[in-house]
Amino acid sequence: MEIEFNGKKVYFNGDIIDTFDEHGPYCIEVEALGTDDDGIEYSAIGIHDGEDITEIEEDTIEVLG
């Protein structure tokens, strides 16, 4: 999943940092790891469907470094 954040494209490709809550097998609330084209890492809260990140809460995106 690709999100525009501060003028950069951030890619959340399914790397999971933590799992918060499961609402069945296809709706898992997670902290996802993303990167931009410069290799900067980001984290955000999102929904994982068991295979892919399907939703990112854009107001939770944080720069990790």
Side-chain angles (χ1 to χ4, degrees):
M1 166 167 263
E2 181 181 302
I3 300 288
E4 184 86 19
F5 180 71
N6 289 342
K8 294 188 175 231
K9 291 181 181 179
V10 180
Y11 307 96
F12 291 93
N13 295 322
D15 293 330
I16 305 301
I17 297 172
D18 198 4
T19 299
F20 299 120
D21 202 6
E22 294 188 29
H23 308 281
Y26 304 110
C27 185
I28 305 163
E29 189 175 356
V30 297
E31 181 178 6
L33 179 66
T35 57
D36 65 17
D37 291 328
D38 297 324
I40 304 296
E41 292 185 327
Y42 300 80
S43 72
I45 305 301
I47 300 295
H48 191 264
D49 68 1
E51 289 186 25
D52 298 310
I53 302 292
T54 58
E55 184 179 323
I56 291 290
E57 294 180 25
E58 294 184 31
D59 60 336
T60 67
I61 298 174
E62 296 181 351
V63 178
L64 298 179

